[in-house]
Amino acid sequence: MSSNNKTKPKVAVFKFASCDGCQLSLLDAEDELLAVAGAIDIAYFPEATRTMLKGPYDIGLVEGSITTHHDAERIQQVRRQCTVLVTIGACATAGGIQALRNWADSQEYVRTIYAQPDFIQTLKMSTPIAEHVPVDFELRGCPINKKHLIELISAMLVGRKPNIPTHSLCMKCKRSGNVCITIARGVPCLGPVTQSGCGALCPRFGRGCFGCYGPMESANTAAMTTQLRLLGQSDEEIARAFRSFNAWSWQFRQASEEAERA
Amino acid sequence: MDTTLPSVGSQAVIDFPALSALVSALRRRGYQVIGPTVRDGAITCDAIEKIEDLPIGWGDEQESGRYRLKKRDDSAVFAYTVGPQGWKRYLHPPELPMFEGKRDGEAFQILRNPPSPPQYAFLGVRACELAAIRLQDRVLIGDRYRDPAYQARREGAFLVAVNCTQAGGTCFCVSMGTGPRVGAGFDLALTELLGAGQHSFVVEVGSKTGAAVLAEVEHRKARKEDVKAAVAAVDAAASQMGRSVDAKEVRDLLFDNFDHPRWDRVAARCLSCANCTLVCPTCFCTTVEDITDITGEHAERWRKWDSCFTDGFSYIHGGSIRLSVKSRYRQWLTHKFAAWVDQFGAHGCVGCGRCITWCPGRIDVTEEIREIRGVASPA
Ligand code: SF4
Ligand code: SF4
Ligand code: SF4
Ligand code: SF4
């Protein structure tokens, strides 16, 4: 996939259950947008363009989680059409905030909210794409960092490894020279178990990390729970802290369930 | 005012207001002065323009996993102990562009080498930190292959050391033989004297440049009683160590205890977050990242702080060789206190206590060593 090739890679963007925030970061890449358009051929991007070129595609970017029978079938077709499949954002990589339904009775929601619940067909669970088809790369974040998306595409174009960190957020926090808010002010922060990616945005402004980029490569959530307890958090608060955008990632899921049982 | 140049090794006394003249003298010489200042709930090392930027009347309390700023009831400038990060950020920057290149047919062109770094003057380098700088000198520029980025920053740097007159809750420089009295390698060394209506600093001259800078600051020769008072103040700090470690034969102890059950217990508490390594003033490891832009025409090479607590650190063809947190913690402690001795002729720990204070898992190296020795922790 060298950039010197005359044929530009065909890229398609698919949406499942999600808010659109991640795929739109492709359009939000202002400075690079022209260069992106010059380097890749956006063949299918229903949220942004009218062009709908038929597959197969070289790269498929998939946003959103699987929440309906229809989507569970559609993702199989998408996979068949894409040489490389990349999932983008917490919905696609972990099931998203909508995975909170996995601990509840979604049918009851349907009955409460919709006038004619019979027309609503939904799965019991919201699940990440990788639970349905093989995925080549997962780009984390709620929302993703647009610089990561450009970096990933740039790396794929020249066939090199993308520089997307999987270590703790603390690494970035320390490199940035922030004073640790947990140590200096006793503020609970999920940084030690969360993957780097946002540039340590929240700690920089005195807020504890919410875990937007999901569990880091070797997340020790049990040790994190101990630390949160020492900072005075209740089991309920701890369960809630792990149960946000990446609640259904197995590490955070396990941690929230353990805190709930405690 | 004495107009002859003070000699190296001599001691003088400056009064508190003269600290301002010292900062000005350094700035006049073109140094960017970096020193202690209160920021975001801690005393950090940042740019200093005037003495009001210094943490006058501030102290701190440190324990494992806990740091708190504390207002003092005096106007001491240096009565705090080491903060979240030291001078390493300046001498060995956390993220450093190495070069930028452009495709040129089948070859490539180097577009720009990074601009030369500022000349730094560090104000308030503690004994443990001076020892750490000497260790980084040994590692980064003390051998056949030298790190030009470190060298450029280090060689022009002016060091104003400060003898500690107050030790912190996680300090153990006495155990490591690095403090609290500063050793060699400074340009000027200050000892703060406060009380009985006086606020002054005994200044020891450590280099010719130090002497020339002191000559521009109002000072007088130190009397016997000044020197005595300074010695007593530093002795007081030595008796206040919040931590201690039995460094005797610690190298053999760790090498002999590769399978100690304590490694499993510490691994259960360790978050593998890497905070300890990044705050450590002697840890030097970096990784290199090459990036290309979307056109594939431009490339950049960056060097970034790395840590033995990441997956990527021990990645070799086929995978990471240190996947368990246990193997990582063992690597860190054993490298610091054992393998360094073979590699660089000294322990890699100077006893500054940062890794204890800034560990969110409240892990304490001194406690781990004690446990491996089989000595019960003091209650
Ligand atoms: S503030 Fe949070 S992310 Fe930053 S070092 Fe502390 S625990 Fe880690
Ligand atoms: S020892 Fe502490 S600071 Fe170091 S990686 Fe483990 S938890 Fe993080
Ligand atoms: S190992 Fe800990 S106490 Fe020793 S020099 Fe490093 S940060 Fe300081
Ligand atoms: S370890 Fe020693 S030299 Fe370092 S701050 Fe503490 S008392 Fe001072």
Side-chain angles (χ1 to χ4, degrees):
Chain A
M1 264 191 256
S2 162
S3 58
N4 285 344
N5 284 358
K6 296 221 175 48
T7 54
K8 295 189 281 185
K10 271 169 84 176
V11 176
V13 184
F14 303 96
K15 176 187 156 66
F16 289 82
S18 60
C19 78
D20 283 19
C22 289
Q23 51 169 314
L24 293 181
S25 54
L26 196 57
L27 299 179
D28 189 30
E30 296 127 7
D31 296 343
E32 289 96 344
L33 196 57
L34 274 180
V36 170
I40 61 177
D41 191 358
I42 298 187
Y44 180 85
F45 192 177
E47 303 289 305
T49 67
R50 250 165 298 176
T51 8
M52 302 260 198
L53 298 182
K54 273 219 182 87
Y57 310 104
D58 297 306
I59 303 171
L61 301 176
V62 176
E63 176 195 85
S65 68
I66 303 298
T67 54
T68 64
H69 295 285
H70 175 248
D71 278 355
E73 279 160 29
R74 186 161 62 97
I75 190 61
Q76 300 296 335
Q77 292 162 19
V78 165
R79 175 68 269 194
R80 278 195 291 274
Q81 290 184 78
C82 301
T83 311
V84 172
L85 190 85
V86 176
T87 50
I88 58 170
C91 299
T93 60
I97 192 75
Q98 60 273 28
L100 290 182
R101 72 155 73 163
N102 301 2
W103 285 278
D105 178 359
S106 57
Q107 289 314 313
E108 197 189 317
Y109 289 165
V110 170
R111 284 192 297 273
T112 322
I113 295 165
Y114 296 97
Q116 288 180 297
D118 296 349
F119 291 114
I120 306 294
Q121 284 201 333
T122 182
L123 293 168
K124 275 203 175 76
M125 312 259 254
S126 168
T127 44
I129 302 299
E131 279 191 25
H132 299 264
V133 294
V135 170
D136 299 294
F137 197 93
E138 293 191 320
L139 201 58
R140 301 270 201 84
C142 183
I144 56 164
N145 179 335
K146 66 181 178 192
K147 287 194 194 129
H148 283 178
L149 186 57
I150 302 289
E151 164 64 10
L152 181 65
I153 295 173
S154 304
M156 285 195 288
L157 289 174
V158 296
R160 67 173 169 85
K161 178 172 162 280
N163 292 303
I164 311 275
T166 55
H167 54 60
S168 72
L169 177 64
C170 298
M171 289 270 288
K172 182 62 188 178
C173 198
K174 281 286 181 290
R175 284 179 186 155
S176 310
N178 299 342
V179 174
C180 175
I181 56 175
T182 292
I183 307 296
R185 283 187 259 167
V187 177
C189 176
L190 288 181
V193 291
T194 300
Q195 182 167 301
S196 196
C198 61
L201 196 58
C202 292
R204 187 144 40 92
F205 292 100
R207 296 292 300 263
C209 168
F210 292 99
C212 307
Y213 281 69
M216 55 81 106
E217 58 196 15
S218 52
N220 186 348
T221 51
M224 187 78 247
T225 296
T226 306
Q227 164 70 2
L228 293 172
R229 280 200 187 111
L230 288 169
L231 291 172
Q233 296 256 294
S234 67
D235 292 324
E236 214 187 333
E237 285 170 314
I238 295 168
R240 258 206 310 272
F242 283 115
R243 218 167 266 184
S244 64
F245 326 106
N246 290 284
W248 201 245
S249 65
W250 70 264
Q251 297 94 326
F252 286 4
R253 184 195 329 170
Q254 192 180 320
S256 73
E257 287 173 357
E258 267 165 20
E260 220 170 34
R261 274 197 301 273
Chain B
M1 176 172 161
D2 189 351
T3 49
T4 56
L5 215 56
S7 59
V8 175
S10 70
Q11 304 206 38
V13 174
I14 64 172
D15 285 329
F16 172 70
L19 208 52
S20 183
L22 176 64
V23 172
S24 309
L26 292 169
R27 286 167 59 86
R28 261 200 314 277
R29 285 168 176 259
Y31 289 114
Q32 183 179 333
V33 182
I34 309 292
T37 195
V38 172
R39 167 170 68 85
D40 299 334
I43 296 169
T44 60
C45 297
D46 283 302
I48 298 294
E49 287 172 13
K50 47 190 189 317
I51 53 170
E52 289 74 28
D53 296 338
L54 298 172
I56 300 167
W58 285 100
D60 54 61
E61 270 174 4
Q62 304 197 29
E63 249 319 309
S64 55
R66 187 185 157 88
Y67 177 104
R68 289 294 180 276
L69 261 184
K70 214 180 81 187
K71 198 95 191 97
R72 294 175 57 89
D73 49 19
D74 59 21
S75 55
V77 183
F78 298 113
Y80 64 93
T81 45
V82 293
Q85 294 191 34
W87 317 98
K88 181 170 90 170
R89 313 189 49 78
Y90 297 96
L91 295 176
H92 185 51
E95 294 181 345
L96 185 78
M98 300 181 79
F99 64 79
E100 206 180 293
K102 183 181 179 295
R103 189 195 291 277
D104 185 2
E106 286 302 294
F108 73 99
Q109 228 182 354
I110 302 288
L111 281 186
R112 177 178 71 90
N113 277 313
S116 46
Q119 256 199 317
Y120 292 120
F122 296 150
L123 175 60
V125 183
R126 303 309 174 101
C128 58
E129 300 181 304
L130 202 57
I133 292 174
R134 283 197 301 269
L135 287 177
Q136 288 218 320
D137 287 351
R138 165 67 190 83
V139 175
L140 298 171
I141 52 173
D143 230 320
R144 224 162 94 202
Y145 302 105
R146 293 169 180 220
D147 168 11
Y150 182 84
Q151 191 160 23
R153 289 163 176 77
R154 177 69 178 94
E155 280 177 352
F158 187 95
L159 305 187
V160 184
V162 165
N163 282 307
C164 288
T165 52
Q166 166 94 53
T170 57
C171 293
F172 59 104
C173 59
V174 167
S175 303
M176 301 314 293
T178 55
R181 184 164 285 111
V182 298
F186 56 85
D187 294 289
L188 293 173
L190 312 180
T191 310
E192 186 166 26
L193 295 179
L194 189 68
Q198 65 149 359
H199 191 182
S200 57
F201 302 88
V202 173
V203 188
E204 191 184 336
V205 179
S207 72
K208 285 206 179 110
T209 327
V213 169
L214 182 61
E216 292 171 29
V217 177
E218 186 163 329
H219 66 277
R220 63 171 170 81
K221 277 214 178 80
R223 289 186 287 259
K224 251 199 198 120
E225 43 296 11
D226 301 319
V227 176
K228 239 174 93 184
V231 169
V234 184
D235 284 348
S239 69
Q240 293 166 351
M241 293 288 120
R243 292 288 192 281
S244 70
V245 75
D246 181 0
K248 198 168 35 66
E249 286 153 26
V250 65
R251 173 190 172 277
D252 297 343
L253 174 79
L254 294 176
F255 280 151
D256 291 347
N257 279 289
F258 186 80
D259 290 323
H260 199 284
R262 183 69 189 181
W263 300 124
D264 289 309
R265 290 206 289 277
V266 70
R269 295 161 55 211
C270 175
L271 293 146
S272 209
C273 61
N275 277 301
C276 48
T277 46
L278 303 192
V279 299
C280 178
T282 73
C283 277
F284 51 80
C285 287
T286 51
T287 184
V288 169
E289 281 178 8
D290 287 339
I291 54 173
T292 46
D293 70 358
I294 194 123
T295 63
E297 296 295 312
H298 294 88
E300 284 171 28
R301 173 163 292 181
W302 283 74
R303 188 176 86 181
K304 297 181 176 175
W305 282 355
D306 200 1
S307 166
C308 47
F309 283 94
T310 68
D311 269 8
F313 187 86
S314 66
Y315 185 90
I316 53 167
H317 175 76
S320 285
I321 53 169
R322 264 184 235 116
L323 276 176
S324 70
V325 177
K326 170 185 173 178
S327 64
R328 294 180 194 174
Y329 190 86
R330 183 173 57 201
Q331 154 66 25
W332 138 259
L333 199 71
T334 309
H335 190 213
K336 288 271 129 176
F337 287 87
W340 263 72
V341 178
D342 298 356
Q343 252 182 310
F344 306 117
H347 290 125
C349 171
V350 296
C352 73
R354 281 193 179 93
C355 59
I356 306 174
T357 301
W358 299 95
C359 169
R362 306 187 192 206
I363 293 168
D364 175 341
V365 281
T366 67
E367 186 187 345
E368 294 313 309
I369 290 173
R370 210 161 30 239
E371 289 291 333
I372 287 170
R373 244 188 231 289
V375 186
S377 314

